[in-house]
Amino acid sequence: IVAAGVLVLLIGIGVTAHAQIANFIKMNFGSTAEYYQYVETKNRDAGAEVFSNQYKAYYDSLCGDEWKENATYKLELGQTLKTMLSMTGTDFSALNDAGLVVSRKRSGGVSQSRIRGCINGQDVITLNMYVDMANSEGYVQIPEISSKYVDFSESLKLLKNSNLGGGNVFLNGGMSYLPEPEKMRNLLITYSDIAIRNMDSVEKSSGELEAGEVKGNYTKFTVTCKGKEFYNLLSDMMNTMKDDQNIKAIADKYGEGAYETFSEFLKESIDALKSEEGKVTDEDLQMVMDVYVDGDG
């Protein structure tokens, strides 16, 4: 039992320390550029996870057959903000918080929403909405003003048959044009990888950041990207796009010929870029970026 307990403890420590060990090895046994690219990739992966989850929620809210959301948004007003708002000539001293309580669901193409506006924790106004896009039916109600509904179905029909503002696309299933979450993630990973890979002119030093009374010591990377490197980065991206099946799948959603049009435009752009090969100098363009990295990478 004791041996098993020790083994579990060691495994737990190993799992917990894995990131720190990997970071230590990369930091001390690789080149400066390799460590910078490792750190940038690791943080990109974390950011991509956040983006993917948010985009998937957005995608599901617009494209999913069955979807629901319950959310509360609240803004608390401190004395500093109250003072600033009072400069407009209105007394905000009694306003402590304001918020929205949102409840939405969609089933079978029909969307229903209820949005409650609250001040100091008390309901002030409510908006109820019903939309059936397939049949161009829409109703909205503010019960505090009237128990009756306003019928805006005719406006939906006009918008559906209009070419203005993309309304016809929206109401005729235009949301199906949105790229699937997995394809969006693949695009983000693919092209950020190219950018990171091309950032290989890196210098390392020690740096300190300060905000108010908070200070921290960091490893500072100065990343430089000049004209020739920008040319290579752009060329790498364009040539990757040429055979990118994620881009093809997204373009195909827009109808027959959409991908062919994009491919032709891309080919012209690549040819134009090739005509500048050897002409672009480091003096033409330069970007310098400071990146501060803590002990955990």
Side-chain angles (χ1 to χ4, degrees):
I1 293 173
V2 172
V6 171
L7 181 60
V8 170
L9 180 62
L10 289 174
I11 292 173
I13 293 173
V15 170
T16 304
H18 177 267
Q20 285 82 359
I21 293 171
N23 183 70
F24 177 82
I25 292 172
K26 294 285 185 180
M27 181 171 59
N28 290 283
F29 297 102
S31 69
T32 298
E34 287 172 342
Y35 179 58
Y36 162 73
Q37 291 169 350
Y38 162 78
V39 167
E40 197 75 84
T41 301
K42 184 174 71 168
N43 284 274
R44 187 280 316 278
D45 289 345
E49 187 69 21
V50 173
F51 168 80
S52 296
N53 290 337
Q54 291 179 341
Y55 180 78
K56 186 177 186 305
Y58 174 71
Y59 180 89
D60 290 344
S61 72
L62 295 175
C63 303
D65 293 329
E66 300 287 336
W67 176 80
K68 64 180 179 180
E69 175 196 34
N70 294 291
T72 300
Y73 305 91
K74 185 178 181 181
L75 172 67
E76 295 184 355
L77 282 75
Q79 188 55 49
T80 302
L81 183 56
K82 289 183 184 182
T83 302
M84 290 176 62
L85 292 173
S86 296
M87 293 171 66
T88 62
T90 304
D91 183 9
F92 284 90
S93 60
L95 182 60
N96 297 317
D97 61 68
L100 294 175
V101 179
V102 180
S103 178
R104 298 189 292 164
K105 67 177 182 179
R106 183 174 59 252
S107 179
V110 176
S111 300
Q112 299 179 69
S113 305
R114 169 173 286 187
I115 303 174
R116 302 199 325 266
C118 310
I119 293 179
N120 293 343
Q122 300 297 316
D123 291 353
V124 177
I125 193 167
T126 308
L127 178 72
N128 295 321
M129 185 177 293
Y130 173 97
V131 177
D132 182 349
M133 289 187 178
N135 297 306
S136 299
E137 294 181 358
Y139 308 92
V140 65
Q141 177 205 42
I142 302 177
E144 288 82 4
I145 297 177
S146 172
S147 60
K148 295 182 179 180
Y149 281 82
V150 175
D151 184 349
F152 60 94
S153 302
E154 288 302 317
S155 297
L156 289 180
K157 290 176 184 176
L158 288 172
L159 187 60
K160 185 174 183 178
N161 296 321
S162 168
N163 289 319
L164 298 176
N168 58 330
V169 173
F170 180 84
L171 292 169
N172 284 294
M175 293 308 168
S176 62
Y177 292 135
L178 282 176
E180 290 85 352
E182 187 60 30
K183 289 183 173 58
M184 283 293 288
R185 180 184 174 83
N186 290 341
L187 289 176
L188 174 62
I189 297 295
T190 297
Y191 294 98
S192 59
D193 271 345
I194 292 173
I196 293 169
R197 186 169 66 242
N198 278 276
M199 299 296 172
D200 56 4
S201 179
V202 187
E203 295 180 358
K204 183 171 70 171
S205 61
S206 296
E208 182 180 76
L209 290 180
E210 181 177 353
E213 298 180 354
V214 180
K215 295 182 180 180
N217 294 313
Y218 296 87
T219 297
K220 177 183 174 183
F221 292 103
T222 301
V223 185
T224 304
C225 189
K226 297 183 179 180
K228 292 178 181 178
E229 292 167 321
F230 269 118
Y231 177 91
N232 293 333
L233 189 156
L234 195 58
S235 177
D236 200 352
M237 283 193 171
M238 284 186 174
N239 283 290
T240 301
M241 288 180 184
K242 190 171 57 177
D243 301 312
D244 193 327
Q245 293 303 304
N246 289 297
I247 291 179
K248 183 180 186 306
I250 292 169
D252 285 343
K253 283 173 168 276
Y254 287 84
E256 188 176 349
Y259 182 68
E260 286 70 19
T261 300
F262 168 79
S263 296
E264 185 60 31
F265 170 76
L266 184 61
K267 182 180 181 300
E268 292 173 359
S269 300
I270 292 174
D271 290 342
L273 185 66
K274 283 182 178 178
S275 68
E276 298 298 317
E277 189 172 7
K279 300 177 184 178
V280 180
T281 68
D282 288 344
E283 288 70 33
D284 292 331
L285 187 64
Q286 177 171 292
M287 178 193 76
V288 179
M289 176 172 62
D290 290 334
V291 181
Y292 293 84
V293 178
D294 66 13
D296 294 328

